[in-house]
Amino acid sequence: MEFDGRVAIITGAASGIGRACALELARRGANICVVDQAGEDVMIQTSHLLKETGARVATFTADVTDHGKASRIVAETRARMGRVDMLVNAAGVNSDAPIWDITESQWDRVLNVNLKGTFNYLHAVATLFRDQRSGKIVNIASIQALRGSFGISNYAASKAGVIGLTKSAAVELGRSNVNVNAVAPGFIRTPMTERLPARIMEEAEREAVLGRIGEPQDVANLVAFLCSELARHITGEVIKVDGGQLI
Ligand code: NAP
């Protein structure tokens, strides 16, 4: 799983799972393009951490829902780093409420960031990856796409959409030697989940047959594998990393 000189674009790379993925690919030799809407201090800190691995780093402060910006960032990454080989879509949000209380703006925001944001970056690399006849795309979905849970209809629908998008893109890009997969984490300890009520983490811990809460590195290990040539024959898959939370 070595990525010497390869270039990965990672959305949501300034925090949690995205940052762990960026660091794991960087430690294995990749140069990294960080796309996130985080504040300047967090972007600088992320860039610093990545550069400590020896990686070249480009940072872009951007909202992934901005369709035009995705193409500009891919073009700029190529111009600065010479190539693009991998895309990890990790930017995501939640905004929980039961279906009778959920507002239109809560619905739109979660669908826009999680699903349209993933589409935007997948779309922005698709022609490049097709024409260069190589590329690895990993979309971060969720086990919540595979079951129902209380108060997350918008989130679950967005992540189910990510899975549908992943499978169709895998079909369309397969003949061009491009792998497109989704990872479905269970409950992972990140800033996103630290904001949730404690009982949700306790329930996840009870559900997980391995009896523990996942860490961002657990997801990053799988993402690195899927980006590597070891996974060359895997595409259109949804792989859970959830400690057996959903069996
Ligand atoms: P996180 O720590 O909140 O990281 C998400 C990052 O994405 C943050 O830096 C956030 O910036 C950024 N982001 C949010 N909206 C954005 C936008 N519109 N444009 C650009 N950047 C944006 O969350 P995480 O837990 O690592 O989640 C990463 C991914 O894993 C998400 O897709 C999430 O749905 C998925 N996931 C997480 C879990 C879990 O248990 N943690 C489980 C399953 C799936 P700000 O903080 O500044 O908004």
Side-chain angles (χ1 to χ4, degrees):
M1 297 209 293
E2 296 309 318
F3 302 109
D4 287 338
R6 307 242 155 198
V7 174
I9 296 177
I10 302 169
T11 73
S15 178
I17 289 169
R19 187 190 266 188
C21 292
L23 278 166
E24 185 58 29
L25 296 180
R27 279 192 289 266
R28 293 177 179 278
N31 297 319
I32 307 292
C33 165
V34 172
V35 181
D36 206 291
Q37 66 173 9
E40 197 184 344
D41 50 337
V42 177
M43 293 298 263
I44 291 170
Q45 188 199 39
T46 304
S47 172
H48 184 71
L49 279 173
L50 288 166
K51 282 180 180 161
E52 277 178 352
T53 68
R56 286 175 63 201
V57 181
T59 56
F60 295 91
T61 302
D63 184 334
V64 293
T65 65
D66 184 335
H67 184 74
K69 195 143 189 182
S71 306
R72 292 196 294 278
I73 286 173
V74 171
E76 177 79 21
T77 303
R78 276 187 88 195
R80 283 206 226 165
M81 299 207 177
R83 55 193 294 159
V84 179
D85 305 282
M86 298 167 258
L87 167 68
V88 180
N89 278 302
V93 291
N94 56 353
S95 184
D96 300 351
I99 192 75
W100 53 85
D101 276 341
I102 200 163
T103 64
E104 186 181 4
S105 73
Q106 275 178 297
W107 177 270
D108 287 348
R109 183 72 190 148
V110 171
L111 268 288
N112 270 334
V113 175
N114 296 1
L115 181 53
K116 188 182 172 198
T118 299
F119 161 73
N120 284 343
Y121 282 78
L122 208 162
H123 178 260
V125 299
T127 305
L128 172 68
F129 283 8
R130 187 198 65 198
D131 292 350
Q132 72 191 16
R133 298 194 56 77
S134 69
K136 308 284 185 188
I137 299 170
V138 182
N139 299 321
I140 308 297
S142 167
I143 61 165
Q144 302 299 357
L146 307 170
R147 69 172 184 188
S149 286
F150 191 91
I152 60 158
S153 57
N154 53 354
Y155 185 81
S158 72
K159 294 300 189 178
V162 166
I163 289 174
L165 172 63
T166 301
K167 287 176 182 275
S168 289
V171 171
E172 291 171 4
L173 289 165
R175 294 281 162 166
S176 305
N177 190 40
V178 177
N179 304 66
V180 190
N181 289 292
V183 167
F187 192 102
I188 305 291
R189 198 188 316 271
T190 68
M192 177 189 274
T193 51
E194 275 160 15
R195 292 190 288 268
L196 296 172
R199 64 177 165 72
I200 295 183
M201 186 172 89
E202 287 156 15
E203 194 184 327
E205 200 167 0
R206 266 197 307 277
E207 281 178 342
V209 300
L210 292 177
R212 61 171 174 254
I213 291 301
E215 302 294 335
Q217 186 64 41
D218 294 314
V219 183
N221 293 339
L222 176 57
V223 169
F225 168 69
L226 289 172
C227 285
S228 77
E229 281 313 293
L230 294 178
R232 64 188 282 267
H233 211 49
I234 299 173
T235 199
E237 269 302 331
V238 183
I239 304 181
K240 289 183 289 168
V241 51
D242 70 344
Q245 211 183 322
L246 179 64
I247 293 182

